Amino acid sequence: MEPWAYWLIAAGILLVLEMMTLTFYLLWICIGAVAGGIISLFAPDAYVLQVILASLVALVLTIFTKPLTRKIHSAKGYEDTGIELVGKQGIVVESIEQGQYGIVKVGGDTWSATSTQKLDRDELVRVIKRGSSIIEVERWEELI
């Protein structure tokens, strides 16, 4: 197989992983892999050059976009929809086995969720913790 195909496969895998994590770090590495693939089209035997260029592209994108994302997150009017999730009620859309992932709907959004309890479909839950793209939930217990 041609070297550019390996770079393209790596970029595709990284892009899919980025869509699952939503961190942007894997996106920059994905773009670096695309750059390595482009170089491999013109210099298929220059493996060291391909790796160096791919690494540099990913590093430069990471370094220069970090202040930009920090600025966007601290801008007036920016709202992270996940911050106010803790304590909110949701409903289990896809059952959650203990230590496994399921899907929970909170408000109008669906989230990947985990729990220390087994939760069945259509059970009411409370959000107790939020990660970057996964929430932790527990069974909703009404206060009497």
Side-chain angles (χ1 to χ4, degrees), residues 2-141:
E2 296 292 324
W4 63 265
Y6 289 114
W7 285 107
L8 188 60
I9 291 168
I13 291 169
L14 288 164
L15 184 61
V16 169
L17 290 172
E18 172 58 40
M19 288 189 284
M20 291 180 185
T21 61
L22 303 172
T23 60
F24 282 111
Y25 292 115
L26 294 176
L27 179 63
W28 307 145
I29 299 171
C30 170
I31 293 171
V34 170
I38 291 170
I39 291 300
S40 74
L41 286 173
F42 300 107
D45 296 328
Y47 301 116
V48 174
L49 177 65
Q50 295 168 22
V51 171
I52 289 172
L53 182 70
S55 300
L56 280 175
V57 167
L59 184 65
V60 167
L61 285 171
T62 301
I63 290 170
F64 286 112
T65 56
K66 190 67 174 173
L68 178 64
T69 57
R70 208 175 297 136
K71 184 177 180 179
I72 290 170
H73 286 189
S74 64
K76 185 177 179 181
Y78 174 79
E79 291 182 28
D80 185 356
T81 58
I83 292 175
E84 69 275 354
L85 282 178
V86 176
K88 294 238 177 173
Q89 185 183 56
I91 188 163
V92 178
V93 175
E94 186 179 297
S95 64
I96 303 171
E97 296 292 327
Q98 188 174 3
Q100 300 289 320
Y101 294 109
I103 298 177
V104 172
K105 186 171 188 174
V106 181
D109 298 324
T110 55
W111 292 81
S112 292
T114 186
S115 179
T116 57
Q117 307 165 318
K118 181 184 182 312
L119 300 168
D120 295 318
R121 184 182 171 114
D122 295 327
E123 267 192 82
L124 293 178
V125 293
R126 175 191 338 263
V127 179
I128 57 173
K129 186 177 170 186
R130 182 210 174 216
S132 60
S133 63
I134 298 171
I135 58 174
E136 187 175 333
V137 295
E138 66 182 3
R139 189 169 284 113
W140 183 271
E141 309 268 339

